[in-house]
Amino acid sequence: STFNPNAVVLQSAVTRTSDNWARLSAASTIDAYTGYTLSISLNSDILAIKSARQIAHYLNTTFITIEGSLIDDITGEDVVPITDSKALQATAIIRDETPPSLIEYALLIDTGILELTFNDVIDVTSFDITGFTLHRNADGSGAQFTF
């Protein structure tokens, strides 16, 4: 059978608008298959979904459309499409409850930039620089600078 992740669109309502959807990319792959159930590993597509803000936060903001090219049955027939304006609502959703962690940073003295890299999508509007301190030593001793 074939698998085309680009045939999947997640959206926040039955009918798609300009800013409430995310299309899966080739980065999404089949994770598991058990006859009637197909599990898709979203891989890097999860970042686009989380960044969309309106999608997949609650059952009433989680809908899917699929094109016939998504996958074939065992005889080679395309799956029946679910079109926009008739999007299917999720029956369950497990929200991301894991907080982001700082995984690395770079202090670019020549440009005056402090670059922070997190392991998850962050909401930049919630960033509070006053809660950030640079220490001279890893154990927190010695000179320090709090923003």
Side-chain angles (χ1 to χ4, degrees):
S1 67
T2 62
F3 173 66
N4 175 18
N6 298 104
V8 176
V9 173
L10 296 173
Q11 55 197 57
S12 67
V14 171
T15 301
R16 188 178 317 144
T17 63
S18 62
D19 64 348
N20 75 341
W21 60 278
R23 181 178 298 276
L24 298 189
S25 73
S28 289
T29 58
I30 294 175
D31 181 60
Y33 167 72
T34 57
Y36 291 98
T37 302
L38 177 68
S39 295
I40 300 171
S41 180
L42 298 173
N43 300 317
S44 62
D45 286 336
I46 195 66
L47 297 176
I49 294 164
K50 287 181 175 184
S51 295
R53 290 184 180 251
Q54 296 181 19
I55 303 170
H57 291 282
Y58 306 98
L59 281 177
N60 66 348
T61 63
T62 309
F63 294 81
I64 192 171
T65 64
I66 60 171
E67 298 169 9
S69 63
L70 171 63
I71 200 157
D72 297 338
D73 70 8
I74 59 172
T75 65
E77 296 293 321
D78 285 351
V79 68
V80 175
I82 299 173
T83 59
D84 189 35
S85 79
K86 295 184 180 172
L88 183 64
Q89 187 174 5
T91 56
I93 184 168
I94 299 172
R95 295 185 55 180
D96 180 2
E97 300 291 337
T98 306
S101 296
L102 180 66
I103 57 173
E104 67 181 27
Y105 77 95
L107 182 55
L108 311 172
I109 299 295
D110 61 334
T111 59
I113 300 290
L114 176 62
E115 187 175 275
L116 308 174
T117 303
F118 295 87
N119 68 341
D120 201 352
V121 176
I122 57 166
D123 177 2
V124 70
T125 64
S126 69
F127 183 69
D128 179 9
I129 191 68
T130 62
F132 198 82
T133 302
L134 293 175
H135 295 270
R136 171 179 234 155
N137 300 314
D139 66 2
S141 66
Q144 63 184 28
F145 177 79
T146 300
F147 291 86

